[in-house]
Amino acid sequence: MSEQIQPGRRRKNDPDGMRRRILDTAAELFQSRGYASTAMHDVAHEAGVTGGGMHHHFPTKKSLALAVINERIRPGVTETWLAPVLEAASVQEGVAQVFREIRDALTKAGRVRGCPLNNLALELSLMDPEIRVAISAIFAAWNTALVEKIATDQSKGRLTGHDPQRLATLIITAYSGAMTLAKVQQDPRPIDTCSAELLARMEP
Amino acid sequence: MSEQIQPGRRRKNDPDGMRRRILDTAAELFQSRGYASTAMHDVAHEAGVTGGGMHHHFPTKKSLALAVINERIRPGVTETWLAPVLEAASVQEGVAQVFREIRDALTKAGRVRGCPLNNLALELSLMDPEIRVAISAIFAAWNTALVEKIATDQSKGRLTGHDPQRLATLIITAYSGAMTLAKVQQDPRPIDTCSAELLARMEP
Amino acid sequence: MSEQIQPGRRRKNDPDGMRRRILDTAAELFQSRGYASTAMHDVAHEAGVTGGGMHHHFPTKKSLALAVINERIRPGVTETWLAPVLEAASVQEGVAQVFREIRDALTKAGRVRGCPLNNLALELSLMDPEIRVAISAIFAAWNTALVEKIATDQSKGRLTGHDPQRLATLIITAYSGAMTLAKVQQDPRPIDTCSAELLARMEP
Amino acid sequence: MSEQIQPGRRRKNDPDGMRRRILDTAAELFQSRGYASTAMHDVAHEAGVTGGGMHHHFPTKKSLALAVINERIRPGVTETWLAPVLEAASVQEGVAQVFREIRDALTKAGRVRGCPLNNLALELSLMDPEIRVAISAIFAAWNTALVEKIATDQSKGRLTGHDPQRLATLIITAYSGAMTLAKVQQDPRPIDTCSAELLARMEP
DNA sequence: ACATACGGGACAGCCCGTTACT
DNA sequence: AGTAACGGGCTGTCCCGTATGT
């Protein structure tokens, strides 16, 4: 029975898997090396994909950047930031928890590579309007979630004396800046310091 | 034949002028396009210098980056941030003034290109240790200046109830993050919002 | 064989239609952009066909080129050139008519893209022997038809004092060169000029 | 004191020579393979030049094409066509001589690669307006020279009964077409045939 | 018959740094 | 001091052909 058509030599079509591998690799490399310093070839090689496969899924580097932003960074922010804060008993507790967990992760990693959103935001904002808008949308969603949470907390007396919009902006910018500082100093402590000072005036 | 520079006999060699022009151009381009996206050739062309002239003053791109950081960005931070704050009647007034002036400058420019220090910090921190240290030093100086000013203010009763180190960190990170946000949204308003919330916490 | 196409049951497969569309598109693109500058993907996209469909009908680009030559360009030459001349009252009238009609077509089109046969002939002759032979065959048929027409005309006294082979060659080459010139200058007038001079010495 | 700086290892600057080698190689390859089918790398390799040197002299492929047209093809047409005809005793003798010499050259070469001007004209006319104009200018100069020669000959009674402009156009187009035909058939004879018929019409 | 996925390999353009030269 | 030439090497993009899937 010569039915076997050389098993093992056959190519397996797995478009979703390949796309996922490319995106994961790209997200990783964009963060650790930066966008401009990451070659398409590097992504392909690291993901175990050929140039042709790469081009099939992401014809241009920009399309890859957009996909990374929308399919990796945006969900990442939601998971790491928004969900925990929204589910926390109060903004204070949520913020404290998020800062703490991120600090712990960085400490464990032994290397501070910065916030993925932050990194791409700075590098790509002025390069392409479409990308800028995609990144801007994430910040907007972040802001909206925080404002709502703060307003809810205030209505329930868990927080007083703050303008929700202003407080949300400070939380986002302080976090963003803290990640920058931690990256520059290769030291996660600014995150703690920042968190402490942020929460100091947010007692109910 | 005296080699003296006669009036009317134009001196062609002007090493200082050339170096200055290169640095100015590089600082400008690094900010508006990013470091990796700026070619040495672009800097040379924009500065009206040939490749050889570039190489004479800055043999490598890294040497140019370091010079921009130390001779343009560091003084820039001192002038724009440290001096005004240190000379102000109080931290609050100093911070308020700096945020306001930067917001005004961005509004007038009609385009938000972000904080030069921030931009290079994010892009170059992981690329080269030497550069990272140079940038880190600027943040450290910034921090030191703020801490001292805050401590002085507190000793004179102009501010109470803050840990100087923590407050300094929050100010720096919030500013840094606000510049990022403003760049991403191409809108200087986050700077105002951030400033307002920051100052609200610093009422004596 | 009830392979009949039932009303309402749309047949999706239309191999002939697809093949025709591909050939038409390819002929069009080969002429306007050149063979090497036309990507298979462009043809597929323009024809509304996927890469797989292309490969089914034309496994290689060369096979597509051969099909375009044999199934589009050869019939085109016959229709536009040979038939009218052969049916004309005399070579002179035939040639005059063909030149005139082509000039009119170019004028109406507002853009001179050259003679399809000419274009492919120049680009592909040295690239592939098989293709060269296919193109050469068209020129041979063209020549044969003209020679016969001229001989017939002469035997009937409609033309005197010409060597049929030599005159046929001049007509073909002059037309070919005129189309080249018209394309280069983006001006159909050389065709008129050429026709006039050609006919000037062909009085009976 | 080892003053010797390894003689023989030193690079020699010869910009003109390098440029000349590149242009010669490019002209050769453009003709034998076509423009689109010739890679910049091929030219560099064949000319013994590195990519960097290539880019220094010809930053883009288009710039190389323009240089080939203006510095190789145009002088070539002048030398091979215009000068001999203008210096000949009459147009007839000039044309006869040029056709004969080109036919001989092709016969000796054993391979018909076509007329360089013709080849590039067809391939590049629709691709870039600037290139089209450069090629068009060569045809125009060709035309002007022939018209003047014909007019002079007629005023001296060496030729009668021709409109100079029309005859010039026929000569150019017939030659151009003859070269195409010779290339397609890989046979120089059409050039003779064409020449004979052309001269037959120019008997005084 | 048709469609999607994929392989491997170019191609044009560019970039950073060095070396010869004035 | 300053200019122009030059050396390798890399990047994003794309292309042709084939294999897999329906």
Side-chain angles (χ1 to χ4, degrees):
Chain A
M1 297 261 248
S2 63
E3 267 217 30
Q4 56 189 23
I5 316 173
Q6 282 150 320
R9 286 211 58 215
R10 298 175 74 149
R11 205 185 66 204
K12 194 73 182 76
N13 278 2
D14 177 19
D16 292 344
M18 182 178 266
R19 189 186 156 87
R20 202 192 59 243
R21 257 166 26 236
I22 295 174
L23 280 178
D24 287 343
T25 309
E28 165 70 24
L29 292 179
F30 284 172
Q31 190 185 357
S32 57
R33 301 186 195 173
Y35 177 77
S37 299
T38 300
M40 291 292 273
H41 169 83
D42 295 342
V43 178
H45 184 78
E46 198 85 5
V49 170
T50 61
M54 194 78 181
H55 186 257
H56 177 71
H57 291 283
F58 302 101
T60 67
K61 197 178 183 182
K62 176 181 165 179
S63 72
L64 179 57
L66 280 171
V68 165
I69 291 168
N70 290 322
E71 301 174 37
R72 288 293 178 276
I73 294 185
R74 189 208 299 269
V77 169
T78 304
E79 275 178 46
T80 320
W81 247 99
L82 304 195
V85 169
L86 292 177
E87 288 162 10
S90 66
V91 206
Q92 297 96 311
E93 287 185 22
V95 166
Q97 182 193 337
V98 168
F99 273 74
R100 198 182 328 117
E101 284 178 358
I102 288 175
R103 195 269 329 265
D104 288 347
L106 294 184
T107 308
K108 216 179 297 172
R111 198 182 175 212
V112 185
R113 299 184 311 175
C115 166
L117 179 60
N118 230 10
N119 293 353
L120 284 186
L122 261 297
E123 191 172 359
L124 300 182
S125 278
L126 295 182
M127 219 166 94
D128 188 281
E130 204 174 341
I131 293 183
R132 190 183 69 74
V133 167
I135 294 175
S136 193
I138 301 181
F139 275 103
W142 191 355
N143 180 72
T144 303
L146 278 182
V147 167
E148 285 176 5
K149 177 68 175 174
I150 293 168
T152 306
D153 278 17
Q154 283 182 326
S155 71
K156 297 192 177 167
R158 293 193 284 245
L159 182 70
T160 55
H162 282 276
D163 176 78
Q165 176 57 58
R166 272 178 20 190
L167 180 54
T169 300
L170 184 66
I171 292 173
I172 292 175
T173 56
Y175 171 75
S176 174
M179 289 301 284
T180 300
L181 197 52
K183 184 178 177 184
V184 170
Q185 301 186 337
Q186 283 296 303
D187 180 354
R189 278 177 301 178
I191 297 170
D192 280 333
T193 314
C194 203
S195 169
E197 182 66 16
L198 210 47
L199 294 169
R201 301 273 165 135
M202 287 170 69
E203 283 116 29
Chain B
M1 294 275 231
S2 56
E3 273 283 331
Q4 77 216 10
I5 300 158
Q6 291 148 5
R9 189 203 174 279
R10 232 167 282 247
R11 212 181 75 178
K12 220 178 116 189
N13 290 355
D14 177 18
D16 291 345
M18 181 178 267
R19 187 186 156 87
R20 187 174 39 74
R21 273 192 340 265
I22 295 175
L23 279 177
D24 287 342
T25 309
E28 166 69 24
L29 292 180
F30 285 170
Q31 189 184 358
S32 56
R33 303 186 194 172
Y35 176 78
S37 298
T38 300
M40 291 292 273
H41 173 270
D42 294 341
V43 179
H45 183 79
E46 199 84 6
V49 171
T50 61
M54 283 284 294
H55 185 256
H56 180 72
H57 291 283
F58 304 101
T60 68
K61 197 178 182 184
K62 176 180 164 180
S63 70
L64 178 58
L66 280 171
V68 166
I69 291 168
N70 289 322
E71 302 175 36
R72 288 293 179 275
I73 294 185
R74 190 208 297 269
V77 170
T78 304
E79 274 178 48
T80 321
W81 246 101
L82 305 195
V85 169
L86 292 178
E87 288 163 9
S90 65
V91 207
Q92 295 96 314
E93 287 186 23
V95 166
Q97 181 193 338
V98 168
F99 273 75
R100 199 183 327 117
E101 283 178 358
I102 289 174
R103 194 270 326 268
D104 287 347
L106 295 184
T107 307
K108 216 180 297 174
R111 197 180 175 216
V112 184
R113 297 184 312 174
C115 166
L117 179 59
N118 231 8
N119 294 352
L120 283 187
L122 261 298
E123 190 172 359
L124 300 182
S125 279
L126 296 182
M127 221 165 94
D128 188 280
E130 204 173 342
I131 293 183
R132 189 184 69 75
V133 168
I135 294 174
S136 192
I138 301 181
F139 275 102
W142 191 354
N143 180 72
T144 304
L146 277 181
V147 167
E148 285 176 4
K149 177 69 176 175
I150 293 168
T152 306
D153 277 18
Q154 282 185 326
S155 71
K156 298 193 175 165
R158 293 192 282 240
L159 182 68
T160 54
H162 283 278
D163 176 77
Q165 176 56 57
R166 274 177 20 188
L167 180 55
T169 299
L170 183 65
I171 292 174
I172 291 175
T173 56
Y175 171 75
S176 174
M179 288 301 283
T180 301
L181 196 51
K183 183 179 177 183
V184 170
Q185 300 186 338
Q186 284 295 302
D187 179 354
R189 277 176 302 179
I191 297 170
D192 281 332
T193 313
C194 204
S195 169
E197 180 67 17
L198 216 44
L199 291 170
R201 294 164 165 251
M202 292 165 68
E203 279 154 9
Chain C
M1 301 251 252
S2 62
E3 270 287 329
Q4 73 214 11
I5 301 158
Q6 289 151 6
R9 189 204 174 280
R10 229 166 284 243
R11 215 180 75 177
K12 219 178 120 191
N13 290 355
D14 177 19
D16 291 346
M18 181 177 267
R19 187 186 157 86
R20 187 174 40 73
R21 268 185 354 256
I22 294 174
L23 279 177
D24 288 343
T25 309
E28 165 70 22
L29 292 180
F30 285 170
Q31 189 184 359
S32 57
R33 303 186 195 172
Y35 175 78
S37 299
T38 301
M40 291 293 273
H41 173 269
D42 294 342
V43 179
H45 184 78
E46 199 85 5
V49 171
T50 61
M54 282 285 293
H55 184 256
H56 180 71
H57 291 284
F58 304 100
T60 67
K61 197 178 183 182
K62 176 181 165 180
S63 71
L64 179 58
L66 280 171
V68 165
I69 291 168
N70 289 322
E71 301 175 38
R72 287 294 178 276
I73 294 185
R74 191 209 297 271
V77 170
T78 305
E79 274 177 47
T80 320
W81 247 99
L82 304 195
V85 170
L86 291 178
E87 288 163 9
S90 66
V91 207
Q92 297 95 310
E93 287 185 21
V95 166
Q97 182 193 336
V98 168
F99 272 75
R100 200 184 325 118
E101 284 177 358
I102 288 174
R103 194 270 327 266
D104 288 347
L106 294 184
T107 307
K108 217 178 296 171
R111 196 179 177 216
V112 184
R113 296 184 312 174
C115 165
L117 178 60
N118 231 9
N119 294 353
L120 283 187
L122 261 297
E123 190 173 359
L124 301 182
S125 279
L126 296 182
M127 221 165 92
D128 187 281
E130 204 174 342
I131 294 183
R132 190 184 66 76
V133 168
I135 294 174
S136 192
I138 302 181
F139 275 102
W142 191 355
N143 181 71
T144 304
L146 276 182
V147 167
E148 285 176 5
K149 176 68 175 174
I150 293 168
T152 306
D153 278 17
Q154 284 183 326
S155 71
K156 298 195 175 165
R158 294 193 282 244
L159 182 69
T160 55
H162 282 277
D163 176 78
Q165 176 57 56
R166 274 178 18 189
L167 180 54
T169 300
L170 184 65
I171 292 174
I172 292 174
T173 56
Y175 171 74
S176 174
M179 289 300 284
T180 300
L181 197 51
K183 183 178 177 184
V184 170
Q185 301 185 338
Q186 284 295 303
D187 180 354
R189 278 176 301 178
I191 297 169
D192 281 331
T193 314
C194 202
S195 170
E197 183 66 18
L198 210 48
L199 294 169
R201 300 275 165 133
M202 287 171 69
E203 282 117 30
Chain D
M1 296 278 229
S2 59
E3 269 220 25
Q4 59 194 20
I5 317 174
Q6 282 149 318
R9 287 210 54 217
R10 300 175 72 148
R11 205 184 67 205
K12 193 76 180 71
N13 278 3
D14 177 20
D16 292 344
M18 181 178 268
R19 189 187 156 87
R20 202 192 59 244
R21 259 168 21 239
I22 295 175
L23 279 178
D24 288 343
T25 309
E28 165 70 24
L29 293 179
F30 285 171
Q31 190 185 357
S32 56
R33 303 186 194 172
Y35 176 79
S37 300
T38 300
M40 291 292 273
H41 169 84
D42 295 341
V43 178
H45 184 78
E46 198 85 5
V49 170
T50 61
M54 194 79 181
H55 186 257
H56 178 72
H57 290 283
F58 303 100
T60 67
K61 198 178 183 182
K62 176 180 165 179
S63 73
L64 179 57
L66 280 171
V68 166
I69 291 168
N70 289 323
E71 301 174 37
R72 288 293 179 275
I73 294 185
R74 190 207 298 269
V77 169
T78 304
E79 275 178 46
T80 320
W81 246 100
L82 304 195
V85 169
L86 291 178
E87 289 163 9
S90 65
V91 207
Q92 296 96 315
E93 288 185 22
V95 167
Q97 182 193 337
V98 168
F99 273 74
R100 199 184 327 117
E101 285 179 355
I102 287 173
R103 195 270 328 267
D104 289 346
L106 295 183
T107 309
K108 215 179 298 172
R111 197 180 175 214
V112 184
R113 298 183 311 175
C115 166
L117 179 59
N118 230 9
N119 294 353
L120 284 186
L122 261 298
E123 191 172 359
L124 301 182
S125 278
L126 296 182
M127 219 166 94
D128 188 281
E130 205 174 341
I131 293 183
R132 190 184 69 75
V133 167
I135 294 175
S136 192
I138 301 180
F139 275 102
W142 192 354
N143 180 71
T144 302
L146 278 182
V147 167
E148 285 175 6
K149 177 69 176 175
I150 292 168
T152 306
D153 277 19
Q154 283 184 327
S155 72
K156 297 191 176 168
R158 293 192 284 242
L159 182 69
T160 55
H162 283 276
D163 176 77
Q165 176 57 57
R166 273 177 20 188
L167 180 54
T169 300
L170 184 64
I171 293 174
I172 292 174
T173 56
Y175 171 76
S176 175
M179 289 300 284
T180 301
L181 197 51
K183 183 178 177 184
V184 170
Q185 301 186 337
Q186 282 297 303
D187 180 354
R189 277 177 303 181
I191 298 169
D192 280 333
T193 314
C194 203
S195 169
E197 180 66 17
L198 217 44
L199 292 169
R201 293 164 166 251
M202 293 165 66
E203 279 153 11

